[in-house]
Amino acid sequence: MQNTISQIQDPLTIAGETFTSRFLLGTGKFKNKKDLADSIESSGSQIVTVALRRIDIETHEDNILQYIPKNIKLMVNTSGARNAKEAIRIAHLAKETTLSNWIKIEVINDSKYLLPDNVETIKATATLAAEGFVVLPYMSPDLYAARELVKAGASAVMPLGSLIGSNQGLKAKEFIRILIDEIDLPVIVDAGIGAPSQAAEAMEMGADAVLANTAVATAQNPALLAKAFRQAVEAGRLGYLSGLPSQKSDAHASSPLTGFLYEK
Amino acid sequence: MTSLNDIRKILDNPDPRLTEQLAQQSAALTRQYFGRTIALYAPVYLSNYCSSHCTYCGFHSKNNIKRARLTPEQTEKEMRTLAQTGIENVLLLTGESYKATPVSYLKEAVVIAKKYFTGISIEVYPMEVQEYRELFEAGVDGVTVYQETYLRERYKEVHLEGKKSDYDYRYGTPERAGQAGVRQISIGILLGLSDDVAQDLHLLYEHLQFMEKNYPGVEYSVSFPRIRTIKGREFALSLVDDAAFIKIICLTRIHFPRVGINLSTRERPEIRDRAIHLGVTKMSAGSSTAVGGYEILEKTQQEPQFDISDHRSLNEIIAMLKTQNFDPVLTDWRPINNK
């Protein structure tokens, strides 16, 4: 019997912790902290990312951390790191500063395209995972790199949909699909997602979650777009769970051409 | 890249519709890549001793001004005062005197600055890779070095003496900083020096493209200071009007969507408050351009490098940004051990 929608229990599990929301929000580029707080609320996100470089621990009145509700999982990213060594140092500082041991590894050594360096990301992941961090690496969607990240102890992989900040959507779709098929960790599509429809597209394909930032932060009404993303991610997920006909790439139930061989 | 000819046509075209079109495109790219944020910083002038003779600069060696160099105690006092205003990103400046302000002196200043600021950049004389490396390891995140003008002939005419008169050595400076591992490099043109802005701009773009290609890990920014009146100026200016200035900012943004564009307090408030909508991502605030200008010297004793046009305090700039729906960014870096 088919489950009714209300019976579906479909949590996202990362490193043993479960989340009902599959939409992660980044906190950069907002015009003010109120927009950010409103967007976090309307996004329904249970995990938000913050760049350590933007956490101003000295200034208490305008410290970004004060706008992130306590019940939300804080994941600090290593934005600014150009190699594994720097990412590791930033992760250590992040833990001292926020007491959170959830780290999004972001190693970028190209200021023009802002593409992540998979090789350095794997190194940083191995070190930090061994130290007990929960590591979610941001990566270019490459199967070999993803496998190495699994071995290195990552808790999820975060392939880019397209160039960060580009709002171009799922340019890397076919490569992300391979990761979804082959990697047993949660696959969170990060970067380049510029519209709710693109987030839905990623979720329908079977991504476990989507992270967005630029699109929301730079919208005329960020909180409204955050809500739209939340609903698009939910809709995409339900679409995936429903077994969309268009998603079936193999294993068709009926065999019109060869079925006769097995007829009794 | 837009050809030199097209840059020239754009700058020469007086049609306001073209300016508006460039501005729209530039504004959209800036919002996309930087969001609604403006980074803030302030300079600390450590010394105005100079052994170069640059005809347009208030600090040049032949100019009869009071020379001063902060002692470590004075540096600390200046920095403490500046940090108390809320500034967290500092730009340390000196004249071009290796003798008066050797690398060891700068290193000492950087060590003091680390106590008060999260981001430290330097705008001093060009150095060797090993010297940049030393300062990077001491805590320098950024190096600012302007070619002033990329037109060789003009460069020669305005840089009469001293190390700065060597065009090629100066041109290679961003590269040496990149080789040393410096995180941020800022380059630029001093508008008003050359009467062929289009060509200057085109050569700057070539320089920036070369740097991006060969040192991709560096965060780049550019600056287009417009010449201001100074004591002892010895030559005619080719002033760049506001419309051309705005077009230069917008063209640069369109060519380099992710590069920071910096605007100093040389510019008037009415320009600064509008330029933030068009492509600028970084500005100085509450600045003094004199050695000891924050704390050490009385106003009457100060010798500024150039006169500033925007006298608003950091808090006033922050309030202006908030009113215009921008997030003022004081901290954009957490210093990590660069060794």
Side-chain angles (χ1 to χ4, degrees):
Chain A
M1 201 178 70
Q2 300 270 311
N3 281 337
T4 62
I5 290 174
S6 62
Q7 285 174 312
I8 293 175
Q9 294 286 319
D10 177 41
L12 168 67
T13 304
I14 302 171
E17 291 194 46
T18 58
F19 304 90
T20 53
S21 163
R22 288 173 179 272
F23 179 50
L24 289 70
L25 187 67
T27 55
K29 302 184 183 176
F30 282 85
K31 70 172 178 281
N32 58 46
K33 304 292 194 304
K34 184 179 182 304
D35 272 7
L36 170 61
D38 291 348
S39 298
I40 292 174
E41 196 190 342
S42 68
S43 71
S45 293
Q46 292 168 312
I47 305 172
V48 301
T49 61
V50 180
L52 179 75
R53 62 195 292 174
R54 289 295 308 277
I55 299 175
D56 191 350
I57 32 170
E58 309 298 327
T59 322
H60 298 291
E61 51 180 284
D62 219 19
N63 183 340
I64 195 166
L65 297 180
Q66 296 193 315
Y67 296 84
I68 299 169
K70 292 280 169 279
N71 58 343
I72 282 175
K73 173 69 74 185
L74 179 71
M75 179 157 69
V76 179
N77 73 45
T78 62
S79 163
R82 299 182 297 183
N83 53 46
K85 245 165 93 182
E86 291 182 359
I88 291 163
R89 287 189 197 127
I90 292 173
H92 291 161
L93 274 176
K95 197 173 174 183
E96 275 172 37
T97 309
T98 67
L99 306 175
S100 169
N101 69 338
W102 280 50
I103 284 287
K104 177 181 157 189
I105 304 280
E106 202 177 304
V107 178
I108 293 176
N109 198 28
D110 188 299
S111 62
K112 189 169 173 188
Y113 299 103
L114 303 177
L115 283 165
D117 182 333
N118 283 349
V119 174
E120 292 294 311
T121 301
I122 293 163
K123 286 188 214 162
T125 300
T127 303
L128 291 169
E131 290 176 5
F133 282 88
V134 173
V135 183
L136 287 83
Y138 169 56
M139 68 176 308
S140 285
D142 172 76
L143 179 59
Y144 293 97
R147 284 180 178 145
E148 290 301 316
L149 287 168
V150 174
K151 276 193 228 161
S155 295
V157 292
M158 306 183 75
L160 56 90
S162 52
L163 294 182
I164 195 164
S166 70
N167 294 334
Q168 287 175 339
L170 287 179
K171 292 286 185 212
K173 188 169 183 176
E174 296 313 317
F175 300 96
I176 294 172
R177 194 196 301 278
I178 292 169
L179 300 194
I180 291 170
D181 286 347
E182 301 301 326
I183 300 297
D184 293 333
L185 293 173
V187 174
I188 302 169
V189 177
D190 184 356
I193 303 298
S197 55
Q198 295 163 351
E201 189 184 359
M203 295 304 292
E204 282 175 0
M205 178 169 73
D208 295 279
V210 163
L211 186 148
N213 183 352
T214 298
V216 175
T218 60
Q220 288 291 332
N221 186 335
L224 196 59
L225 188 57
K227 188 175 178 185
F229 266 107
R230 169 194 196 156
Q231 293 180 347
V233 166
E234 285 170 4
R237 181 66 183 174
L238 290 178
Y240 170 73
L241 293 175
S242 73
L244 277 174
S246 62
Q247 294 300 336
K248 286 182 186 162
S249 54
D250 47 32
H252 292 272
S254 57
S255 308
L257 297 182
T258 55
F260 75 95
L261 291 172
Y262 309 101
E263 279 167 10
K264 288 204 174 131
Chain B
M1 197 169 84
T2 312
S3 68
L4 170 58
N5 227 350
D6 287 342
I7 293 178
R8 205 185 295 287
K9 272 189 217 156
I10 290 169
L11 293 183
D12 288 348
N13 189 335
D15 188 348
R17 285 172 304 181
L18 173 69
T19 312
E20 180 63 23
Q21 194 191 327
L22 290 172
Q24 295 279 354
Q25 205 182 336
S26 169
L29 281 169
T30 310
R31 292 294 77 78
Q32 182 182 342
Y33 288 109
F34 292 86
R36 297 195 67 91
T37 64
I38 298 285
L40 297 172
Y41 74 97
V44 167
Y45 280 73
L46 297 170
S47 162
N48 60 7
Y49 283 91
C50 193
S51 53
S52 284
H53 184 184
C54 314
T55 54
Y56 51 85
C57 176
F59 286 175
H60 77 67
S61 57
K62 302 280 154 71
N63 212 0
N64 185 21
I65 58 165
K66 277 192 220 90
R67 301 288 167 174
R69 177 187 54 212
L70 299 181
T71 64
E73 296 70 37
Q74 288 173 323
T75 301
E76 176 121 25
K77 215 169 157 194
E78 271 297 90
M79 289 181 180
R80 195 186 306 128
T81 303
L82 180 61
Q84 277 164 1
T85 68
I87 283 287
E88 297 191 38
N89 261 299
V90 73
L91 175 65
L92 307 180
L93 294 99
T94 66
E96 299 234 341
S97 175
Y98 197 90
K99 216 171 133 197
T101 50
V103 175
S104 56
Y105 172 87
L106 297 172
K107 217 161 137 182
E108 204 173 354
V110 170
V111 170
I112 300 169
K114 272 190 92 163
K115 297 202 302 208
Y116 296 101
F117 306 101
T118 58
I120 303 168
S121 297
I122 52 169
E123 185 173 352
V124 298
Y125 45 84
M127 289 176 213
E128 295 297 320
V129 177
Q130 186 44 40
E131 294 170 321
Y132 280 126
R133 182 79 211 166
E134 237 178 273
L135 290 173
F136 171 67
E137 288 181 356
V140 166
D141 306 300
V143 166
T144 294
V145 59
Y146 301 150
Q147 190 68 20
E148 318 293 7
T149 174
Y150 283 91
L151 303 178
R152 245 173 221 281
E153 285 308 303
R154 187 61 176 150
Y155 188 91
K156 227 165 123 184
E157 284 166 20
V158 294
H159 298 103
L160 300 176
E161 264 174 42
K163 221 173 170 182
K164 197 166 173 179
S165 59
D166 186 343
Y167 180 101
D168 293 313
Y169 188 70
R170 194 158 184 96
Y171 192 90
T173 305
E175 189 168 12
R176 293 194 299 279
Q179 283 165 358
V182 167
R183 269 168 229 290
Q184 297 151 4
I185 295 177
S186 182
I187 63 177
I189 301 171
L190 183 56
L191 295 176
L193 275 191
S194 123
D195 58 4
D196 190 350
V197 181
Q199 200 178 355
D200 231 345
L201 203 56
H202 190 249
L203 290 167
L204 168 80
Y205 291 171
E206 275 183 7
H207 198 191
L208 193 51
Q209 267 185 345
F210 169 85
M211 288 302 297
E212 277 190 331
K213 195 170 172 104
N214 291 285
Y215 303 90
V218 174
E219 281 176 33
Y220 293 99
S221 57
V222 292
S223 192
F224 301 102
R226 284 196 281 184
I227 270 191
R228 301 270 307 152
T229 51
I230 51 129
K231 213 164 146 185
R233 179 168 60 76
E234 300 160 13
F235 69 101
L237 303 174
S238 308
L239 293 177
V240 171
D241 67 21
D242 289 347
F245 183 60
I246 292 298
K247 279 199 267 191
I248 288 166
I249 288 173
C250 297
L251 258 182
T252 303
R253 168 60 64 230
I254 293 164
H255 276 89
F256 301 96
R258 291 183 173 87
V259 160
I261 299 181
N262 176 21
L263 198 62
S264 82
T265 48
R266 285 166 186 263
E267 294 298 333
R268 315 187 305 278
E270 54 271 36
I271 288 287
R272 300 226 303 164
D273 295 6
R274 287 183 174 93
I276 52 174
H277 292 276
L278 302 178
V280 165
T281 55
K282 198 174 166 186
M283 62 206 292
S284 50
S287 300
S288 162
T289 64
V291 178
Y294 295 109
E295 173 74 17
I296 306 302
L297 293 178
E298 294 293 323
K299 279 268 179 291
T300 49
Q301 291 180 286
Q302 295 176 11
E303 297 274 12
Q305 189 194 20
F306 58 86
D307 290 332
I308 63 177
S309 301
D310 187 345
H311 296 275
R312 289 174 292 182
S313 68
L314 174 66
N315 281 335
E316 286 168 325
I317 294 288
I318 288 175
M320 177 278 287
L321 289 172
K322 286 185 172 171
T323 314
Q324 301 211 42
N325 280 325
F326 282 93
D327 185 24
V329 174
L330 290 160
T331 292
D332 194 27
W333 184 239
R334 181 62 64 85
I336 54 174
N337 186 354
N338 285 337
K339 278 184 185 134

